[in-house]
Amino acid sequence: MLKMPEILAPCGSIDVFYAAVNAGCDAVYLSGKAFGARAYATNFTQEEIITALEYAHVRGVKVYLTVNTLYMNDETDSLVSFLKPLYLEGLDAVIVQDMGAFYVIKDEFPDLPIHASTQMNICSFKGAEMLRNMGATRVVPARELTVPEIKEIKENVDIEVECFVHGAMCFCYSGRCLLSSFRGGRSGNRGRCAQPCRMKYDAGYSLSMKDMCTVTEIPKLIDAGIDSFKIEGRMKNEYYVASAVDAYKTLSDDYCSGHFSMDKALKYKSRLMDVFNRGGFSNGYYSCHDDPSLIDMNYPGRAGVHVADITRVGKGTIEVKAVKDIYRRDDMEIRLKEPVKLTSGKDIASGQTDILNAPETKRLKTGDKIYRTRCVKLLEDIKKELIDSNRRIPVNAYLKAETRGSLSLTLTTGTVSAVSESLKPLEKSNKGTTDTSILREKVAKLGSTPFYLDKMEFDITGDPFINMSELISLRREAAEKLSESISAAYKRNAAEHISNTVLLSSDKVNNNSDEVKTDRRDHIEKDGTKLSVLIEEEDQLKAITDRGITPDRLILDHSFIDDAVTLKSLKCSNIYMATPYIFRNDNPEFANFFKKLEEFYNNGIINGIYIRNHDALAETVSKLRSGRTPLLKVILAPSLYVYNDYASLMYEELLQSDIRYVLSEELAVDKLTELRPYKEGNAILKVYGRTVLMLSANKIKGNIKDCFIKQDDALCYNILLDETAVRLSQDKYATDFDDILIHFTNETYHEVTDVLEYYIRKCNA
């Protein structure tokens, strides 16, 4: 029999949590009031999380906590304090994006499983392998990966793989979006996405992805070896979550037991469409690298289901022909520029024509389509069948009774048992012992407990009189003890499982040294401002060479990797090669890039690498540890996010090499100067360049306001650039940073010369 995947449910509130568990999920993911990537969900108090842990664990359900945002230095202590009681209560895993959070959690809670969030943007088995070696037990790869790419991760790395199977999709590669931050003033990396993907642009809603629904693809996904089916939706209600859990649980079980039916899958898909869909459904990227049909250009919100067409318009009424069954109290709308909303006052069978009351009939016309946005009957069915079902697990009972001996009841589930015993000796019954069928009936009435009776055995000696009220009391006590025993099995002991000092890693940051606690830059001999220049196009390089400009570091885009002649002709003593923005498993450019990079390094043509993603980081770590590029210099791009000192510690532990950091564009300069890389003299400030607002697999249609678009068809990504370049004047950085970066993306020859001359004058001033 095939391995059944875990069905993982989103929970944005305690009510949704109960619905998800009752509907049959195997695990849930949820967030506290802070530190989660959905800051605008209701989320959970610490007390609610502890309640959820107890409720879930008794029913065999795991609880994963999302702490998948980026952290400032002053938040890491709070993260540890927040996690500690939950960890002790038996938290099953944390979901992490921030490398610093990863470092701290491994340090403070060594046996707490860590799941690498999709925000880490892992696109290859190399990245997954690096995370496994770091201590991650599970990886959630980028949603853009195809089934063969996911299968390749499973075949090459001994790590659990969790993939999204249902719900909303971001247009951008997860973790690689700054559009919300720079356009909406709210950082998606901090859990406060303003959803610019859902805005209308010149060509329509050109970034608005249809919702994913893969119920018909379940056989392919299970065959690929996916360990966990993740349902998106911590902003969704209990009806959405319960119906999705039920669909994926049922159909996955069907396939694993050899009974999968496509007709049944299509019925579930239709039901899910009626609960909620955005633009209809797609299968996501599982069978394609990009596809314009994944986007709904016309409408960014709830699409509803087409249920009827208007056949005649009257005064205050419309005649409609139903294309699906319509039920009384269904909420519907006619999608004009300003939608007309109405509620059905009657049931109308599919194919039937009938009259409905309708507002604003002057705006309506024959042929207008009617969409159902809320089916009350469906919601009532979901509530009755799933949400209110009170999920329970089977127990076996063993009743022992002996005349002049004791009465005891043992309840067992799995390897956990609980015994409840009456100390009062049993008297002999004048009428004989109560029939075992009656005793079983009393024990089986487990009511609101998490259990139901599966099997029951009896050991009755003599003819003891068994008092029914006493048996009921033993049943209640045994059920309570069993619940407590199951919960206790998950809990951890602080002395055994937590580091001896709170934030042990803080000692590593400060190194217990008074000198390090001051700014090490005060002890670095300054020799003027170092200038790094990153170029992406040939004309930009020509502008540099024509003017005879020699920066301290020249960083060349990956597109120059095959141009050995040009590389050999360059005069700069420090030449770095920038990796592509995205590296995918199935792209031969991955292997080609590192093969050429190693050749150029060994021939003395280049001496450094500029890393833009975790997959390239993983391969660089492998190269350095193999000894084939022992002195390769490394610059980490802003997309590797160093928001706190622990992130830099993690990168240094991984690379064990000379590292420089181009610090995040989302952080103000005063925040950057608080970071360890700045104090160690390893920080580079980007003073000029267009911000990469978004990286997408799908091509971008039309114009996005105040943005430029670059495409890399070979590597399957598209770059959305801010039209206005960041341009820091000297007074903004000169007193703080003496290592700066100029990043050219699509600037012309003359723009490059103008910018360089400006900053060279400033550097020499």
Side-chain angles (χ1 to χ4, degrees):
M1 185 172 173
L2 292 165
K3 179 187 174 185
M4 178 76 177
E6 172 188 84
I7 307 302
L8 176 57
C11 298
S13 70
I14 193 72
D15 290 338
V16 175
F17 162 78
Y18 289 126
V21 173
N22 289 338
C25 71
D26 301 299
V28 300
Y29 63 103
L30 50 82
S31 176
K33 295 292 185 179
F35 307 129
R38 290 293 181 270
Y40 298 109
T42 302
N43 292 322
F44 290 68
T45 64
Q46 196 167 74
E47 293 74 20
E48 285 176 330
I49 297 174
I50 290 172
T51 298
L53 285 165
E54 293 174 351
Y55 188 90
H57 285 162
V58 170
R59 291 161 178 81
V61 174
K62 294 181 179 180
V63 177
Y64 307 143
L65 184 70
T66 64
V67 289
N68 57 336
T69 57
L70 300 179
Y71 295 85
M72 305 291 189
N73 266 339
D74 57 2
E75 293 171 327
T76 49
D77 282 356
S78 299
L79 174 63
V80 172
S81 300
F82 170 64
L83 285 177
K84 182 177 178 180
L86 306 179
Y87 173 80
L88 294 176
E89 286 294 323
L91 181 65
D92 294 283
V94 285
I95 304 169
V96 173
Q97 172 190 10
D98 189 302
M99 280 289 198
F102 196 114
Y103 188 96
V104 169
I105 291 167
K106 285 302 294 180
D107 203 16
E108 302 303 318
F109 311 107
D111 65 346
L112 178 60
I114 296 178
H115 297 174
S117 170
T118 191
Q119 291 291 113
M120 279 194 171
N121 186 225
I122 299 301
C123 298
S124 75
F125 74 84
K126 300 282 189 179
E129 184 176 46
M130 178 185 74
L131 288 164
R132 192 274 314 274
N133 293 338
M134 287 166 54
T137 58
R138 177 180 293 188
V139 64
V140 189
R143 276 176 260 204
E144 288 75 10
L145 296 196
T146 61
V147 168
E149 287 176 289
I150 293 164
K151 191 173 182 180
E152 190 170 2
I153 293 175
K154 285 299 300 178
E155 289 173 347
N156 284 278
V157 188
D158 182 19
I159 193 169
E160 292 181 357
V161 173
E162 172 186 307
C163 294
F164 284 90
V165 295
H166 191 87
M169 294 184 68
C170 298
F171 184 82
C172 182
Y173 279 96
S174 295
R176 305 301 296 274
C177 182
L178 299 180
L179 188 59
S180 174
S181 185
F182 279 75
R183 285 287 181 268
R186 290 167 22 188
S187 172
N189 285 314
R190 299 277 287 165
R192 292 172 171 79
C193 180
Q195 293 198 308
C197 290
R198 306 301 178 191
M199 292 174 61
K200 190 172 185 178
Y201 298 98
D202 290 351
Y205 296 97
S206 50
L207 305 180
S208 185
M209 302 284 285
K210 294 178 182 178
D211 279 4
M212 180 197 294
C213 177
T214 62
V215 287
T216 58
E217 306 301 301
I218 281 174
K220 295 177 186 176
L221 302 180
I222 291 177
D223 287 345
I226 295 172
D227 298 282
S228 180
F229 284 179
K230 186 170 195 169
I231 297 164
E232 182 279 334
R234 275 185 290 147
M235 301 290 286
K236 299 295 198 306
N237 63 30
E238 57 265 43
Y239 299 96
Y240 172 95
V241 173
S243 59
V245 165
D246 178 54
Y248 286 90
K249 182 80 169 181
T250 301
L251 294 168
S252 296
D253 185 65
D254 283 354
Y255 183 65
C256 290
S257 59
H259 300 102
F260 184 83
S261 160
M262 187 58 71
D263 286 343
K264 186 175 180 180
L266 289 170
K267 287 177 182 177
Y268 268 107
K269 185 174 183 177
S270 178
R271 176 175 167 128
L272 292 170
M273 182 91 71
D274 225 333
V275 173
F276 186 91
N277 77 88
R278 184 184 279 107
F281 282 147
S282 79
N283 291 333
Y285 289 100
Y286 285 120
S287 58
C288 64
H289 281 97
D290 64 342
D291 184 347
S293 70
L294 299 179
I295 299 166
D296 179 18
M297 298 282 287
N298 301 311
Y299 193 67
R302 182 174 189 157
V305 176
H306 177 213
V307 292
D309 298 311
I310 297 177
T311 53
R312 185 170 57 82
V313 178
K315 187 176 182 179
T317 64
I318 52 175
E319 181 185 79
V320 303
K321 183 173 183 179
V323 297
K324 287 184 179 291
D325 289 342
I326 296 173
Y327 303 99
R328 188 174 66 85
R329 295 183 295 156
D330 278 357
D331 289 338
M332 301 180 290
E333 69 178 27
I334 301 149
R335 204 154 289 151
L336 307 177
K337 186 174 181 180
E338 292 294 330
V340 174
K341 298 182 183 295
L342 63 153
T343 301
S344 177
K346 61 182 72 172
D347 294 343
I348 307 174
S350 177
Q352 181 180 339
T353 299
D354 212 327
I355 304 295
L356 290 175
N357 294 325
E360 304 182 71
T361 50
K362 289 183 179 180
R363 295 174 54 203
L364 307 180
K365 65 181 185 301
T366 299
D368 282 346
K369 296 184 182 300
I370 300 175
Y371 294 86
R372 175 165 58 212
T373 56
R374 182 170 176 265
C375 180
V376 174
K377 180 181 182 303
L378 175 58
L379 299 184
E380 289 173 345
D381 289 346
I382 292 169
K383 182 172 174 59
K384 180 180 178 181
E385 296 167 10
L386 302 173
I387 295 173
D388 294 340
S389 63
N390 184 25
R391 177 174 175 177
R392 297 189 289 174
I393 61 172
V395 294
N396 296 331
Y398 174 72
L399 183 70
K400 183 175 182 179
E402 182 180 2
T403 303
R404 286 180 291 279
S406 63
L407 175 67
S408 67
L409 177 65
T410 304
L411 296 181
T412 302
T413 181
T415 60
V416 183
S417 296
V419 182
S420 184
E421 184 175 10
S422 172
L423 299 179
K424 184 179 178 181
L426 297 178
E427 300 291 335
K428 182 177 176 62
S429 172
N430 295 326
K431 298 180 180 180
T433 301
T434 307
D435 189 271
T436 56
S437 63
I438 296 175
L439 296 174
R440 177 185 169 87
E441 181 182 341
K442 292 295 182 183
V443 173
K445 290 182 178 179
L446 288 161
S448 60
T449 72
F451 312 114
Y452 70 87
L453 183 62
D454 185 16
K455 298 176 182 177
M456 186 166 180
E457 296 180 5
F458 300 89
D459 181 3
I460 299 175
T461 305
D463 292 313
F465 172 72
I466 300 175
N467 184 286
M468 291 299 107
S469 62
E470 189 171 12
L471 178 60
I472 291 169
S473 178
L474 292 181
R475 179 195 69 203
R476 185 183 303 114
E477 183 180 302
E480 289 175 358
K481 285 183 176 180
L482 186 60
S483 292
E484 291 170 0
S485 296
I486 295 171
S487 293
Y490 286 87
K491 295 181 181 181
R492 301 177 177 96
N493 181 288
E496 295 177 3
H497 295 282
I498 294 181
S499 294
N500 293 328
T501 60
V502 175
L503 264 183
L504 180 67
S505 35
S506 63
D507 292 336
K508 298 176 184 177
V509 171
N510 295 320
N511 201 28
N512 291 320
S513 165
D514 292 335
E515 179 183 342
V516 179
K517 292 174 184 176
T518 63
D519 191 337
R520 273 197 183 168
R521 289 165 48 84
D522 295 338
H523 305 278
I524 298 171
E525 184 177 344
K526 296 186 173 59
D527 55 358
T529 301
K530 288 190 174 70
L531 174 63
S532 299
V533 178
L534 197 167
I535 63 161
E536 297 193 0
E537 297 177 359
E538 289 182 9
D539 275 357
Q540 296 163 3
L541 181 58
K542 190 173 188 302
I544 292 174
T545 55
D546 284 355
R547 295 299 180 96
I549 296 169
T550 306
D552 296 284
R553 304 183 193 95
L554 179 60
I555 307 169
L556 301 174
D557 185 65
H558 69 93
S559 55
F560 290 89
I561 194 71
D562 291 315
D563 191 356
V565 174
T566 296
L567 291 173
K568 289 176 182 177
S569 69
L570 297 175
K571 305 300 182 184
C572 183
S573 59
N574 280 299
I575 298 177
Y576 287 67
M577 187 62 66
T579 70
Y581 287 93
I582 297 289
F583 260 138
R584 299 279 290 260
N585 260 349
D586 64 349
N587 198 301
E589 292 299 317
F590 196 140
N592 176 62
F593 177 88
F594 278 99
K595 180 182 177 183
K596 290 289 182 67
L597 181 127
E598 188 175 333
E599 288 176 7
F600 293 150
Y601 169 81
N602 289 330
N603 291 323
I605 298 171
I606 67 169
N607 51 13
I609 184 171
Y610 182 84
I611 300 176
R612 287 167 162 160
N613 57 74
H614 284 113
D615 300 288
L617 173 69
E619 185 66 3
T620 304
V621 169
S622 176
K623 294 286 185 190
L624 288 169
R625 292 187 178 178
S626 71
R628 295 202 297 269
T629 55
L631 299 178
L632 183 71
K633 296 180 180 179
V634 175
I635 298 176
L636 298 186
S639 50
L640 272 74
Y641 300 127
V642 175
Y643 271 51
N644 57 73
D645 292 340
Y646 304 105
S648 63
L649 279 175
M650 177 58 86
Y651 286 126
E652 287 167 20
E653 189 173 286
L654 281 168
L655 288 160
Q656 299 175 15
S657 177
D658 177 22
I659 308 176
R660 297 288 184 273
Y661 305 85
V662 181
L663 298 176
S664 174
E665 296 156 274
E666 286 193 287
L667 297 179
V669 171
D670 61 330
K671 284 290 184 184
L672 300 180
T673 55
E674 294 174 1
L675 293 173
R676 178 172 170 268
Y678 171 81
K679 294 177 179 179
E680 296 278 348
N682 298 325
I684 301 173
L685 179 68
K686 177 180 170 182
V687 295
Y688 175 88
R690 290 183 170 87
T691 301
V692 177
L693 297 175
M694 190 179 271
L695 295 173
S696 69
N698 250 318
K699 291 181 173 63
I700 301 169
K701 294 183 179 180
N703 296 317
I704 307 301
K705 186 178 179 182
D706 299 331
C707 292
F708 287 109
I709 300 167
K710 292 185 73 173
Q711 293 179 186
D712 193 318
D713 293 332
L715 287 161
C716 187
Y717 61 77
N718 304 276
I719 307 169
L720 190 68
L721 294 168
D722 201 336
E723 182 184 48
T724 305
V726 172
R727 189 167 185 149
L728 299 182
S729 58
Q730 186 185 21
D731 59 339
K732 292 264 189 175
Y733 69 84
T735 57
D736 295 317
F737 282 83
D738 49 29
D739 205 340
I740 62 174
L741 170 69
I742 295 171
H743 180 183
F744 294 118
T745 50
N746 61 347
E747 284 82 355
T748 66
Y749 180 100
H750 294 294
E751 287 174 328
V752 169
T753 57
D754 289 345
V755 169
L756 284 174
E757 287 173 2
Y758 171 82
Y759 282 102
I760 288 171
R761 284 198 306 271
K762 293 293 184 182
C763 289
N764 295 331

